Amino acid sequence: MSRELVVYNSLTRQKEVFSPLQDGYVGMYVCGPTVYSDVHLGNCRTFMSFDMIYRYLMHLGYKVRYVRNITDVGHILDDGEDRMSKGARLDNLEPMEVAQKYTLGFHDMMRIFNTLSPSIEPRATGHILEQIEMVQDIIDHGYGYMKNGSVYFDTIKFAEKTGEYGKLSGRIIEELISESRDNLKNQDEKNHPSDFAIWMKASDEHIMKWNSPWSIGFPGWHLECSAMSTKYLGKQFDIHGGGNDLKFPHHENEIAQNVGACGCQPAKYWLHTNMLLMNGKKMSKSDGNTISPVELFTGDSIHVTKGYSPMVVKFFMLQSHYRSPNDLTDEALQAAEKGFKRLMDGNKTLSNLSSTVATDGPMDAKINAIMTSAYADMDDDFNTPRALAKVFELVPIINSLKEGQIALSEVSNQALDELKSFFQTIIFDIFGLMDETESNAGPLDGLMNLIIDLRQQARVNKDWPTSDKIRDSLNAINIQINDGKEGSSWGFK
RNA sequence: GGUCGGGUGGCCGAGCGGUUAGGCAGAGGUCUGCAAAACCUUGUACAGCGGUUCAAAUCCGCUUCCGACCUCCA
């Protein structure tokens, strides 16, 4: 923790020096998925961003408790039906069966993208009691009111008394208040349009419901995060994260609930990731502008000319900043694929390099400077695209060292070792990338060596038809023969 | 309509007052039996118009285009 980390705080709309509430420890809460359908690619970007942030905080030496919830109840549809039970009705399954299915699918996808598991992954349905207690706290503090068994949060009263409402999302309280005169009539039970349910009375046919002091019902859809973050991280913690589109109303209401129940701001730093776009537009199922992770991997989609591996997709996302929109296009993915391969090849080349001098190579300082600046980029609000650019500045140096444009005596073994561990740390430990081309061990490798051997004999005999036939036939099945100075090697295209 | 955030080279994408961003594509070269691959080198940009400044892609104003949120959304 010798370096200074700066993060952009959505709450204050500026970059701030990161300083945790408790020295050496970080509590981070990230809004997780609602498990009523397959994970959306956009979700994946958010979770990969926070995975990188989690990894980087740990790299800095913090002990991090990372809490990411699973929402398996609480989201209310326009027609008042709980989202989970709607999914259940469509699939003709038990609600928890639906939740289980998509939770497992979500976990699989997170594993495929090589993200670390959170420290705690609480479920909303496992915390009904905590949510009920919080509703009671809110009522006790005068910010909740009951209507026919449901409990609503009084945003106007809260705004007037605390001045806290609308801070995060930039809503204007006066506007909310003036709205009340015009819109009062068409409100069902709410006193004001901006009020929101913290406990909903369930209709008879509603499947997911629990007993409470107010009615048999279910918790409001912002409540779980307030209750669970408080339970596992305390009334106040360091980082609260989520997608940009959750700022309002979800996060705004979450703050209202926490302040309303505990009297204090829950999180010190609010971090929001920006949206993943496709072909310049937000991904949306309704207008067909969407692609699932699996379709992206297999290439089974009109939006893509071929499949891209999970690590290529991840690399692609790391090339843009988490707070910027990221535009997914086939062309950009192709570029990422090649760039990623170049990076992996560079790393492999590096691992085989060794110098002729132990210390004080003439180029050591230059290499060290680049490595240092890459970390400085990470310290500046987790700027992965810039840090990645720095890594790419090192690649030509590595290649030149191998190819001889730069003499091996230029860089000392000491610097080389540092460089090797730098690559390991930043690419794999922090970015969370993996080399997918590794380990061709087993019979395939032996087979390929035999074939390369046979071809080499043909080449020695200047039997070009044979050697070209071997090369072209392999090429047709996506195996690339690379003829180099020191013999041939092979790899998948 | 309201509130934010943007428009950077052929594409993606950093930078946000003076430095080469970086990746891909393009061009030139090295290697090679030929090729592919790989590697090295490299050109091209800051939506428009004003203004501030010694200096602006970077600050201010206007114009124009785009996106997000305002309803479930990562």
Side-chain angles (χ1 to χ4, degrees):
Chain A
M1 278 161 268
S2 50
R3 297 193 301 260
E4 192 167 78
L5 174 66
V6 168
V7 300
Y8 181 87
N9 190 351
S10 307
L11 197 60
T12 57
R13 283 158 228 265
Q14 59 188 13
K15 284 186 183 175
E16 294 173 8
V17 173
F18 180 75
S19 146
L21 295 165
Q22 199 183 334
D23 211 25
Y25 292 84
V26 176
M28 176 164 85
Y29 189 93
V30 173
C31 290
T34 304
V35 284
Y36 69 107
S37 66
D38 288 319
V39 229
H40 180 88
L41 232 203
N43 282 255
C44 295
R45 148 122 125 142
T46 294
F47 300 136
M48 278 192 257
S49 295
F50 283 106
D51 181 62
M52 175 276 293
I53 288 170
Y54 176 45
R55 288 166 178 269
Y56 194 64
L57 289 169
M58 289 194 291
H59 165 77
L60 290 178
Y62 290 112
K63 208 167 175 326
V64 186
R65 181 179 293 163
Y66 172 24
V67 181
R68 186 183 64 204
N69 65 297
I70 294 277
T71 296
D72 54 0
V73 69
H75 281 220
I76 299 156
L77 296 167
D78 292 337
D79 56 9
E81 214 176 358
D82 187 284
R83 220 153 148 169
M84 286 312 304
S85 43
K86 177 155 186 180
R89 210 157 297 167
L90 290 174
D91 293 353
N92 203 13
L93 295 166
E94 271 298 312
M96 285 317 269
E97 217 174 337
V98 176
Q100 177 73 355
K101 177 183 168 190
Y102 292 115
T103 300
L104 292 177
F106 168 66
H107 285 157
D108 285 344
M109 196 51 69
M110 289 297 101
R111 206 169 305 121
I112 286 168
F113 278 123
N114 195 220
T115 64
L116 266 21
S117 295
S119 328
I120 304 176
E121 197 167 39
R123 288 166 169 258
T125 51
H127 298 76
I128 301 296
L129 279 178
E130 288 82 352
Q131 296 183 69
I132 288 172
E133 281 168 18
M134 187 162 258
V135 171
Q136 192 58 57
D137 283 344
I138 292 168
I139 293 171
D140 291 347
H141 285 92
Y143 297 120
Y145 59 88
M146 277 154 275
K147 286 278 171 77
N148 308 319
S150 291
V151 185
Y152 294 93
F153 191 96
D154 191 335
T155 52
I156 300 300
K157 187 171 178 187
F158 178 74
E160 281 170 346
K161 284 191 94 167
T162 66
E164 288 292 337
Y165 201 73
K167 249 189 184 173
L168 179 70
S169 58
R171 307 287 127 156
I172 297 153
I173 305 147
E174 286 71 26
E175 245 169 48
L176 293 175
I177 294 168
S178 68
E179 254 180 82
S180 61
R181 294 181 208 109
D182 312 330
N183 297 30
L184 208 58
K185 297 178 209 131
N186 35 17
Q187 281 310 303
D188 31 25
E189 295 178 338
K190 293 195 279 185
N191 287 164
H192 187 273
S194 64
D195 290 353
F196 56 92
I198 48 182
W199 185 264
M200 287 289 278
K201 182 183 176 177
S203 56
D204 289 343
E205 58 276 14
H206 205 98
I207 314 171
M208 300 184 95
K209 51 192 169 187
W210 293 265
N211 203 202
S212 81
W214 312 284
S215 63
I216 294 176
F218 52 93
W221 43 285
H222 310 297
L223 199 61
E224 53 171 301
C225 292
S226 291
M228 298 191 290
S229 64
T230 303
K231 170 156 183 170
Y232 296 111
L233 296 170
K235 287 178 181 177
Q236 288 188 288
F237 51 95
D238 301 294
I239 296 173
H240 191 125
N244 186 146
D245 49 355
L246 290 180
K247 261 190 204 170
F248 190 87
H250 183 61
H251 290 333
E252 194 68 71
N253 290 350
E254 219 184 301
I255 292 175
Q257 289 164 344
N258 281 298
V259 177
C262 316
C264 59
Q265 276 285 339
K268 193 169 176 187
Y269 307 96
W270 285 82
L271 269 45
H272 287 99
T273 58
N274 215 131
M275 296 296 100
L276 180 68
L277 310 176
M278 186 160 67
N279 300 317
K281 283 194 198 145
K282 187 186 173 179
M283 284 200 187
S284 133
K285 276 182 191 164
S286 49
D287 61 16
N289 194 235
T290 186
I291 186 167
S292 74
V294 174
E295 286 167 344
L296 194 51
F297 303 153
T298 60
D300 184 22
S301 162
I302 54 159
H303 300 294
V304 117
T305 56
K306 52 171 293 203
Y308 298 95
S309 78
M311 287 305 113
V312 166
V313 175
K314 188 169 191 173
F315 175 83
F316 164 74
M317 291 182 180
L318 286 163
Q319 275 187 304
S320 77
H321 188 88
Y322 78 89
R323 275 193 295 117
S324 300
N326 189 194
D327 191 8
L328 187 94
T329 62
D330 189 58
E331 224 178 346
L333 249 10
Q334 287 193 25
E337 185 171 58
K338 295 206 173 167
F340 179 61
K341 184 173 186 299
R342 184 152 187 258
L343 181 64
M344 289 302 114
D345 288 347
N347 179 57
K348 247 178 257 170
T349 303
L350 171 65
S351 66
N352 292 320
L353 285 183
S354 64
S355 172
T356 51
V357 294
T359 54
D360 302 318
M363 276 190 73
D364 288 6
K366 184 183 176 184
I367 290 172
N368 280 320
I370 295 173
M371 293 192 290
T372 305
S373 74
Y375 284 123
D377 291 330
M378 288 303 291
D379 289 335
D380 182 12
D381 197 28
F382 315 101
N383 198 325
T384 55
R386 271 177 71 182
L388 207 45
K390 298 292 161 57
V391 176
F392 269 105
E393 282 180 41
L394 294 163
V395 172
I397 295 176
I398 291 166
N399 288 329
S400 298
L401 243 21
K402 183 199 171 203
E403 301 283 327
Q405 288 98 332
I406 299 175
L408 281 166
S409 57
E410 289 283 304
V411 182
S412 73
N413 267 324
Q414 187 188 11
L416 234 31
D417 285 345
E418 281 167 21
L419 188 55
K420 285 172 191 172
S421 97
F422 168 80
F423 262 60
Q424 184 61 42
T425 302
I426 201 149
I427 297 173
F428 302 107
D429 298 347
I430 296 173
F431 293 158
L433 291 167
M434 283 189 300
D435 192 346
E436 295 164 315
T437 62
E438 266 175 355
S439 75
N440 292 324
L444 183 59
D445 218 29
L447 216 52
M448 283 310 301
N449 287 340
L450 174 68
I451 292 169
I452 285 172
D453 243 32
L454 289 172
R455 177 163 171 271
Q456 189 50 37
Q457 273 176 36
R459 293 181 76 204
V460 168
N461 298 333
K462 296 199 193 296
D463 179 4
W464 308 129
T466 303
S467 94
D468 288 357
K469 186 183 177 187
I470 292 172
R471 180 220 283 159
D472 297 342
S473 304
L474 288 172
N475 205 265
I477 54 168
N478 274 331
I479 291 175
Q480 173 83 50
I481 295 291
N482 304 313
D483 293 334
K485 264 183 283 204
E486 291 132 40
S488 306
S489 63
W490 70 281
F492 294 107
K493 281 206 286 191

